[in-house]
Amino acid sequence: MKVKSKLRLMDGHCYISSGRTAAFLAQRLVFLVLRLAMLLVILVTFYIFYHILSNGIGVISLEFITAMPRKGMTEGGILPAILGTFYITLITALAAFPVGVFTAIFLNEYARKNMFTRLVRLSIRNLAGVPSIVYGLFGVALFVRALALGTSILSAGLTLGLLTLPVTITASEEALKSVPDSYREGALALGATQWQAIRTNVLPSAVPGIMTGLILGLSRAAGETAPILFTGAAFYLPRLPSSLSSQFMALPYHLFILSTQHHAPDKVRPIAYGTALVLLLLVAAMNMTAIMIRARFRKAAARR
Amino acid sequence: MENSVKIVTEKLNLYYGNFQALKEVNLEVCSGKVTALIGPSGCGKSTFLRSLNRLNDLIDSVRVEGEVRIDGENIYDKSCDVVRLRKKVGMVFQKANPFPKSIYENVAYGPRIHGVRDKKVLDRIVEKSLREAALWEEVKDNLSRSALRLSGGQQQRLCIARVLAVEPEVVLMDEPTSALDPIATQKIEDLIRALKQKFTIVIVTHNMQQAARVSDITAFFLNGEIVEVGNTGLLFTQPVDQRTEDYITGKFG
């Protein structure tokens, strides 16, 4: 042991009688536990992915992702579910992005640090902890009923937008916070208005962080079932949605139906695995995009 | 340029919440001269500097009493246009703060936000400002390069060029060389001496030799008050107040 010999060198006397002291053993034990915890996480993730991949890969074909479901969903593809998820995610992005970013700009750049903003921040943090089924029911009350948007792509997309809002706001605020104050002061000292300073000097540096947060929020929203359950997702639709007020099929809900609500669950099991795989790949692709944006930004920052 | 009074502060009090950072500060700053503010850390000299272009406004807890008149106009008056004020009173910060843009865009930033769109006009302003800041020869072939890749001293001169591009009348400098090596510092000091022909300069510095080298007038701050103001040569050789003498001879600081 290096430590031992060094200690001996310092005053010629050895304090450590044996290499395996209690402290040393405790360290070994803790490292072992840490390593096991990490292995568990990797194992579970890989098992899920392997299980779905091995069971679903056989079903995936061009037809599977481009055809309508047939014969009570026992045959055919899942195109309406893919498109449905795509459409609501788009609405979610359009709703969450401006509201989330503007709220973050207001909180971080304009608002004074007082009771009111502390309350707003507290609410946002609490909003992030609300169960998704509660968002679903709230969506029914607000969008479907009160605003009379009916069960539709719009209602479901907006409900998911609410769900994504806390993540978007928090990520945007963090991104804005990481922009050095000297960029703001430098612009203001040249006679820029606060908005000019934000638009030309703060936002450009914050955009990658904001986009990363938004995409991660969206990828979570795309996999949600409970918020769309009552706000527009349909059990089975033999046609594609025609407008924002149409009902729609969605990947996570379709998966739920096939695995638990179908009259012949064994018969549709391969389709269920295929659906799960498509959803998984979709979410993975979104997360990869977020990672790539961040990496590209880091590289650009390093080049400076 | 005639040496008329450019800035007058009258009974200027400034509070951060309950803490009083400036106490009844009265000072006259003359145009065409370099005024240095010296004093130990936390004595209020930077706060005073930032009250001359109202940059303290950004801090929620700050409260200001008294007057700061620039060309006879009280800048704390409700009718004062802060944007116009900051265009007229530019500022160079302690740490060079180039924006993450090209050299050209850094200098063009000010003119652009004040509405200059014509590319030819912008080109002219950029060249003129970089020449005034003694940086043109070093960067003229690399104007599209990121400003963040310049050396520390070049970055600080770029920040000076950026301020000059909006054609200010007063330039405030907050310890502009405290992060620079002696050679870069000397370049900035040469620049300050050249610029005083055209601009009124107020500089905060920790370095008493620097104050002695570049300034005409020196004000000594202590605990938020001005202890002594005078001709730099006199203040450093024959200080009137005992505290000034103690500070410049290094008894505390």
Side-chain angles (χ1 to χ4, degrees):
Chain A
M1 274 181 75
K2 265 190 183 151
V3 177
K4 201 168 121 189
S5 57
K6 257 186 200 159
L7 278 174
R8 202 206 307 270
L9 269 180
M10 275 190 285
D11 59 357
H13 185 86
C14 182
Y15 291 97
I16 303 169
S17 49
S18 149
R20 304 208 176 273
T21 60
F24 179 75
L25 288 174
Q27 157 159 306
R28 285 283 288 263
L29 189 69
V30 169
F31 281 179
L32 189 71
V33 171
L34 298 179
R35 200 165 286 141
L36 283 177
M38 177 207 61
L39 275 177
L40 190 72
V41 172
I42 292 181
L43 271 179
V44 169
T45 311
F46 271 82
Y47 180 72
I48 293 176
F49 191 69
Y50 168 76
H51 183 77
I52 292 176
L53 187 71
S54 60
N55 284 293
I57 193 81
V59 200
I60 302 242
S61 64
L62 193 62
E63 198 213 343
F64 186 69
I65 57 173
T66 57
M68 305 293 293
R70 283 192 310 269
K71 296 191 180 163
M73 297 183 282
T74 55
E75 282 179 26
I78 56 165
L79 180 65
I82 294 177
L83 276 182
T85 290
F86 177 74
Y87 288 144
I88 52 172
T89 309
L90 205 64
I91 299 292
T92 306
L94 290 177
F97 182 71
V99 179
V101 173
F102 290 162
T103 306
I105 292 178
F106 175 77
L107 280 177
N108 197 57
E109 307 291 328
Y110 286 102
R112 284 172 161 259
K113 317 260 174 292
N114 55 21
M115 260 321 262
F116 174 70
T117 48
R118 268 204 294 279
L119 207 67
V120 172
R121 258 178 255 268
L122 191 71
S123 327
I124 293 168
R125 223 161 291 150
N126 280 320
L127 217 54
V130 172
S132 56
I133 185 70
V134 177
Y135 278 101
L137 294 171
F138 181 73
V140 174
L142 182 65
F143 300 123
V144 179
R145 293 277 175 76
L147 298 178
L149 298 175
T151 49
S152 61
I153 290 180
L154 200 57
S155 294
L158 291 174
T159 307
L160 285 176
L162 286 182
L163 179 105
T164 320
L165 217 45
V167 184
T168 316
I169 295 173
T170 312
S172 303
E173 239 199 304
E174 286 307 316
L176 290 170
K177 240 181 232 144
S178 70
V179 178
D181 267 341
S182 65
Y183 291 4
R184 298 180 180 86
E185 280 191 340
L188 292 173
L190 290 169
T193 61
Q194 217 174 341
W195 173 239
Q196 279 174 326
I198 293 168
R199 186 170 51 81
T200 59
N201 241 6
V202 178
L203 278 182
S205 299
V207 157
I210 293 175
M211 292 307 291
T212 310
L214 178 74
I215 294 172
L216 291 178
L218 287 182
S219 77
R220 192 196 145 193
E224 280 289 349
T225 312
I228 58 173
L229 198 57
F230 314 121
T231 52
F235 187 83
Y236 173 49
L237 283 176
R239 59 183 182 283
L240 297 177
S242 58
S243 77
L244 286 179
S245 52
S246 308
Q247 289 197 329
F248 58 93
M249 294 176 73
L251 288 169
Y253 187 53
H254 190 57
L255 182 58
F256 168 69
I257 298 291
L258 292 180
S259 0
T260 64
Q261 311 290 303
H262 202 269
H263 59 85
D266 291 332
K267 209 171 166 190
V268 295
R269 183 123 314 150
I271 299 185
Y273 272 115
T275 308
L277 185 58
V278 169
L279 180 58
L280 209 64
L281 290 176
L282 188 83
V283 172
M286 290 174 84
N287 289 351
M288 283 299 288
T289 314
I291 291 170
M292 266 156 56
I293 290 179
R294 205 164 26 187
R296 183 184 280 185
F297 174 64
R298 281 225 186 99
K299 231 188 264 165
R303 233 182 290 128
R304 283 176 196 142
Chain B
M1 195 189 237
E2 59 187 308
N3 295 343
S4 55
V5 175
K6 185 76 177 172
I7 306 171
V8 181
T9 72
E10 206 171 285
K11 293 188 177 169
L12 186 64
N13 287 307
L14 188 143
Y15 306 83
Y16 294 113
N18 293 323
F19 173 74
Q20 186 168 7
L22 294 177
K23 294 167 194 159
E24 304 277 310
V25 175
N26 298 308
L27 186 69
E28 288 187 356
V29 175
C30 287
S31 59
K33 287 195 175 174
V34 177
T35 305
L37 312 178
I38 61 167
S41 298
C43 68
K45 55 195 189 310
S46 287
T47 299
F48 176 75
L49 196 73
R50 293 163 69 94
S51 68
L52 300 181
N53 67 347
R54 287 185 58 176
L55 216 54
N56 287 322
D57 288 16
L58 305 179
I59 304 163
D60 285 346
S61 63
V62 161
R63 203 173 82 246
V64 178
E65 291 168 355
E67 287 193 359
V68 176
R69 287 194 299 275
I70 299 183
D71 292 332
E73 184 199 3
N74 179 16
I75 62 169
Y76 284 94
D77 215 59
K78 278 205 183 77
S79 63
C80 174
D81 178 357
V82 182
V83 165
R84 230 189 36 170
L85 167 72
R86 292 190 185 138
K87 185 176 174 301
K88 180 168 160 180
V89 183
M91 184 158 206
V92 178
F93 295 85
Q94 179 171 6
K95 196 168 167 293
N97 61 342
F99 303 142
K101 304 172 191 287
S102 70
I103 294 171
Y104 183 97
E105 285 303 321
N106 263 277
V107 184
Y109 184 89
R112 273 194 212 281
I113 58 170
H114 293 296
V116 179
R117 295 269 175 279
D118 189 336
K119 180 84 173 84
K120 280 198 198 102
V121 178
L122 283 174
D123 286 350
R124 250 201 334 271
I125 296 176
V126 168
E127 177 171 347
K128 176 168 172 276
S129 310
L130 284 170
R131 277 188 194 283
E132 278 182 328
L135 190 61
W136 175 253
E137 291 304 324
E138 289 160 64
V139 300
K140 63 181 177 190
D141 301 321
N142 288 309
L143 291 178
S144 59
R145 228 174 118 192
S146 168
L148 300 178
R149 295 178 66 180
L150 295 173
S151 72
Q154 288 175 323
Q155 288 190 358
Q156 194 60 293
R157 277 180 282 147
L158 179 70
C159 292
I160 294 175
R162 195 171 68 190
V163 169
L164 301 182
V166 297
E167 299 183 322
E169 295 169 25
V170 180
V171 178
L172 309 173
M173 298 186 170
D174 190 357
E175 298 185 38
T177 64
S178 64
L180 302 181
D181 64 66
I183 292 169
T185 299
Q186 200 196 339
K187 280 188 183 159
I188 302 263
E189 288 182 5
D190 292 344
L191 184 56
I192 292 171
R193 275 187 289 268
L195 290 176
K196 78 172 181 184
Q197 313 298 330
K198 271 184 77 181
F199 307 95
T200 306
I201 296 175
V202 185
I203 177 171
V204 163
T205 176
H206 258 303
N207 181 331
M208 278 174 278
Q209 285 81 21
Q210 180 168 70
R213 283 193 300 262
V214 301
S215 73
D216 306 296
I217 309 285
T218 298
F220 172 53
F221 275 73
L222 191 63
N223 300 327
E225 291 174 280
I226 290 188
V227 173
E228 191 169 342
V229 194
N231 269 319
T232 300
L234 279 176
L235 187 126
F236 278 103
T237 49
Q238 298 160 30
V240 177
D241 196 288
Q242 184 61 41
R243 291 168 293 175
T244 314
E245 186 172 342
D246 290 348
Y247 182 70
I248 61 177
T249 54
K251 286 199 181 139
F252 71 99

